[in-house]
Amino acid sequence: MSSSFQATAALTAGLERIPDQLGYLVISEDGVLASAGELENDEHTAGVMMQMVRTASRFRLSGSADPPFKRMSVILDDFVYTVTVSGQKVFVVKRQHNQQEPISV
């Protein structure tokens, strides 16, 4: 096994086991590091998600050294993108959106 393959396998090991996942992306500033499922080789979605992360990262509380967010969800009718920032990498998982009906009181 090459060290590149081992590094990629380490990046994606947890992503493979997420329930209801339809696909994932692992992105760095240099581009897509790994992808699978419905997001395999999806450079467009990777670019859109990175732009959203860059925009959200600008909303920093004054005086705070902490990153402005750790996780972001983009909720659409049929699926959800969950975006997690860790280190210098952005992990995007596309999952089935199991909508709950609103509760009427």
Side-chain angles (χ1 to χ4, degrees), residues 71-92:
R71 183 165 293 140
M72 174 173 61
S73 295
V74 180
I75 303 170
L76 304 170
D77 284 341
D78 298 327
F79 51 88
V80 177
Y81 292 106
T82 302
V83 183
T84 305
V85 178
S86 179
Q88 300 299 309
K89 295 175 187 65
V90 175
F91 298 84
V92 179

Side-chain angles (χ1 to χ4, degrees), residues 24-35 39 41-43 46-47:
Y24 62 79
L25 291 162
V26 180
I27 315 165
S28 74
E29 284 294 336
D30 297 326
V32 176
L33 302 175
S35 61
L39 297 179
N41 299 320
D42 191 342
E43 298 282 341

Side-chain angles (χ1 to χ4, degrees), residues 46-98:
V48 169
M49 292 298 166
M50 284 300 283
Q51 190 59 48
M52 291 175 77
V53 167
R54 284 186 200 104
T55 300
S57 294
R58 288 198 288 265
F59 297 105
R60 189 178 295 271
L61 295 174
S62 61
S64 173
D66 294 332
F69 72 97
K70 290 183 178 137
R71 183 165 293 140
M72 174 173 61
S73 295
V74 180
I75 303 170
L76 304 170
D77 284 341
D78 298 327
F79 51 88
V80 177
Y81 292 106
T82 302
V83 183
T84 305
V85 178
S86 179
Q88 300 299 309
K89 295 175 187 65
V90 175
F91 298 84
V92 179
V93 177
K94 182 178 181 181
R95 297 178 71 184
Q96 195 69 45
H97 184 212
N98 301 319

